Amino acid sequence: MRAAAIAAADRWKSEALWLTSLQEVRTHWNADRIDQLLLIDDAFGSTNFDPEAAEVWNRCIPMIDSAMRRGTKLILTSRDYVYAAAREFLKQDNLPVIHDGQVGIRLE
């Protein structure tokens, strides 16, 4: 993820902010800046689905949507089985880019 973040920050000339949870988006996103890249690793739980993380995501959707419309980039990571468990709790229709903008990386 670090290499992808560095490449993305370089490509978009963005300030990369490594956040530990979706809750930190509220405190670190700057509405006056369009050059932010927010990175959240294991967004819905590190090895198991965390229902609280999904609830935080749902509460943050309007703010995240606004940030992305203003140019902020967002990279979330999640293991496929954790994301699969989270999907039924996520209000994806309110932010279609989370479904449309997925990239899968298979490590073996």
Side-chain angles (χ1 to χ4, degrees):
M1 176 156 156
R2 292 195 188 278
I6 291 168
D10 186 50
R11 163 98 164 89
W12 294 318
K13 308 293 186 246
S14 298
E15 171 194 19
L17 299 173
W18 294 85
L19 308 179
T20 59
S21 73
L22 288 162
Q23 293 162 320
E24 289 186 336
V25 171
R26 292 183 188 275
T27 57
H28 288 79
W29 171 56
N30 183 340
D32 295 326
R33 295 191 64 173
I34 62 168
D35 63 342
Q36 288 187 308
L37 169 62
L38 307 177
L39 301 122
I40 305 165
D41 198 18
D42 296 324
F44 304 108
S46 58
T47 57
N48 294 305
F49 168 58
D50 176 5
E52 176 60 27
E55 184 55 38
V56 169
W57 171 260
N58 289 332
R59 288 192 308 262
C60 289
I61 285 176
M63 181 186 56
I64 291 169
D65 184 46
S66 177
M68 292 177 71
R69 288 180 190 276
R70 290 181 174 161
T72 296
K73 309 296 188 266
L74 177 68
I75 297 176
L76 304 175
T77 68
S78 180
R79 288 167 175 77
D80 59 349
Y81 64 90
V82 173
Y83 180 65
R87 286 184 70 169
E88 71 178 85
F89 295 92
L90 301 176
K91 297 178 181 173
Q92 294 185 54
D93 292 342
N94 294 338
L95 191 63
V97 72
I98 191 163
H99 179 66
D100 300 338
Q102 290 183 25
V103 174
I105 300 173
R106 297 188 67 78
L107 301 174
E108 296 186 28

